[in-house]
Amino acid sequence: MPRKPEPGVVVQVPLPDGRFAYGRVYRDATVCFYRRGSVTPGLPPIGSRDFAFCVGVYDDVVASWERVGSDPFDSHELAWPPASSIQDPITGRWSVYERGAIRPADGNQAESLEPAAAWDEHHLIPRLGESIDD
């Protein structure tokens, strides 16, 4: 089985309608998907920082996607994904996951963030199809 790509690698995700989505790999099993896709394979928008969304993706899924480029991180980025939210299902309390740590937060701080979760490919493909432009 292929290994998960390192942070900064750009992966290509084929969509059922023939388009291609592209994602930049981050730390913590996160991929940020560029808003711009293509109808031709191998044309990622490297250097763009216009992402449709960033989510955790299972390692085996990321490892299965074709690597089509490198979009290295600047020294100030450190390959950490944007913060994400966590809501305790029992207490309803909010937390924020950021740079490998969880901290308490109020709902106003956390509700606008992407929920912390790991996505499988069959859940991710429909969202990519709705979110990217070509």
Side-chain angles (χ1 to χ4, degrees), residues 104-115:
D106 64 37
N108 292 333
Q109 294 171 315
E111 285 179 328
S112 64
L113 300 175
E114 182 76 34

Side-chain angles (χ1 to χ4, degrees), residues 42-130:
L43 296 176
I46 291 175
S48 166
R49 296 299 178 263
D50 184 18
F51 297 112
F53 58 93
C54 300
V55 293
V57 181
Y58 289 117
D59 287 348
D60 63 322
V61 173
V62 178
S64 73
W65 291 331
E66 184 178 358
R67 294 153 171 86
V68 293
S70 178
D71 195 352
F73 290 91
D74 296 334
S75 59
H76 69 278
E77 289 180 289
L78 303 175
W80 287 105
S84 56
S85 66
I86 302 168
Q87 186 176 28
D88 186 293
I90 296 171
T91 66
R93 290 190 189 118
W94 288 95
S95 300
V96 170
Y97 179 77
E98 186 172 29
R99 293 186 177 233
I102 298 173
R103 62 177 166 79
D106 64 37
N108 292 333
Q109 294 171 315
E111 285 179 328
S112 64
L113 300 175
E114 182 76 34
W119 289 56
D120 204 346
E121 188 171 44
H122 67 278
H123 293 117
L124 190 56
I125 295 297
R127 184 170 178 190
L128 282 169
E130 295 170 0

Side-chain angles (χ1 to χ4, degrees), residues 3-45:
R3 289 182 44 168
K4 177 185 161 203
E6 297 295 318
V9 168
V10 176
V11 293
Q12 175 175 273
V13 183
L15 301 177
D17 63 5
R19 296 182 299 157
F20 297 89
Y22 300 96
R24 183 184 193 209
V25 177
Y26 282 71
R27 295 173 101 171
D28 283 352
T30 298
V31 179
C32 288
F33 292 96
Y34 299 97
R35 189 171 311 282
R36 185 116 179 125
S38 70
V39 294
T40 305
L43 296 176

